[in-house]
Amino acid sequence: MKHIQTVATIIIIFIMNLNGVAQEQIPIKSVISSLPKGSEKASESNMKNMGLTDPRYSVIRSDSKVGELYKIGNTLVKINAVSGKVGETHLEDTKNSSDGTSIRSRPAFYKSEIKYINDYKIWIMQAEYDRTDIGSILTLAVNKTNNKVVSVAISYYK
């Protein structure tokens, strides 16, 4: 998918620039310059008008006020980062939980894997359902000291 490389780049740049203290929301400004041309900050009305926030199929929720939301064409991208210690198996645990949920929800397409990109461990999940036009990608990355987490969620039309 064309968005995977953009997501990976955003996460890596963001992890390298993370600042903050325990359990504090981290500013997203350091990653904004890495978004593709034509990206614009999305409003709540953009979200609702685009129809990409159906809670059954989308990884972006219209009721969430956490993170920064951007519109890139007909795609929504939500970036969030926090600091606070997580376990060494946080990504593996998240992957296993997501994999278990996908068995019950039966997506038409599901892929979940942990990759190493520029020495950073990143979990990437993509799901698409026959019952909707919406596809989703969710990524989580944890820095090397396990005290900062970055998530990038993408909802797109298939």
Side-chain angles (χ1 to χ4, degrees):
M1 164 140 231
K2 64 184 179 182
H3 297 297
I4 294 287
Q5 189 60 42
T6 300
V7 170
T9 302
I10 289 169
I11 289 174
I12 291 165
I13 289 168
F14 200 54
I15 287 176
M16 290 183 201
N17 294 306
L18 287 177
N19 294 312
V21 294
Q23 297 304 328
E24 181 179 309
Q25 187 78 19
I26 297 171
I28 314 246
K29 293 178 181 155
S30 62
V31 78
I32 303 309
S33 63
S34 300
L35 293 175
K37 289 185 185 213
S39 301
E40 61 184 75
K41 190 143 179 156
S43 66
E44 196 168 318
S45 63
N46 286 125
M47 287 175 50
K48 289 179 182 172
N49 291 339
M50 289 179 72
L52 287 170
T53 57
D54 184 326
R56 295 171 295 174
Y57 308 110
S58 177
V59 291
I60 298 176
R61 306 286 190 253
S62 61
D63 60 349
S64 174
K65 305 294 183 205
V66 179
E68 299 277 335
L69 184 67
Y70 294 88
K71 181 179 179 285
I72 305 170
N74 285 328
T75 302
L76 286 176
V77 177
K78 187 155 203 174
I79 305 167
N80 191 30
V82 294
S83 67
K85 194 73 171 163
V86 296
E88 289 190 25
T89 61
H90 181 69
L91 294 182
E92 290 82 357
D93 297 343
T94 302
K95 179 189 180 314
N96 290 338
S97 176
S98 177
D99 293 350
T101 300
S102 77
I103 290 170
R104 291 185 298 279
S105 64
R106 297 190 178 129
F109 174 81
Y110 178 83
K111 185 174 183 179
S112 171
E113 61 186 336
I114 294 176
K115 292 187 160 224
Y116 287 86
I117 301 173
N118 293 351
D119 294 327
Y120 289 96
K121 187 164 63 169
I122 301 172
W123 169 64
I124 303 169
M125 181 279 298
Q126 181 177 4
E128 294 181 353
Y129 294 85
D130 286 334
R131 301 176 295 271
T132 182
D133 293 340
I134 300 171
S136 293
I137 298 172
L138 179 60
T139 64
L140 286 178
V142 178
N143 69 348
K144 295 175 185 177
T145 56
N146 294 322
N147 67 350
K148 299 198 181 359
V149 180
V150 174
S151 70
V152 176
I154 297 176
S155 287
Y156 59 90
Y157 285 107
K158 301 187 274 184

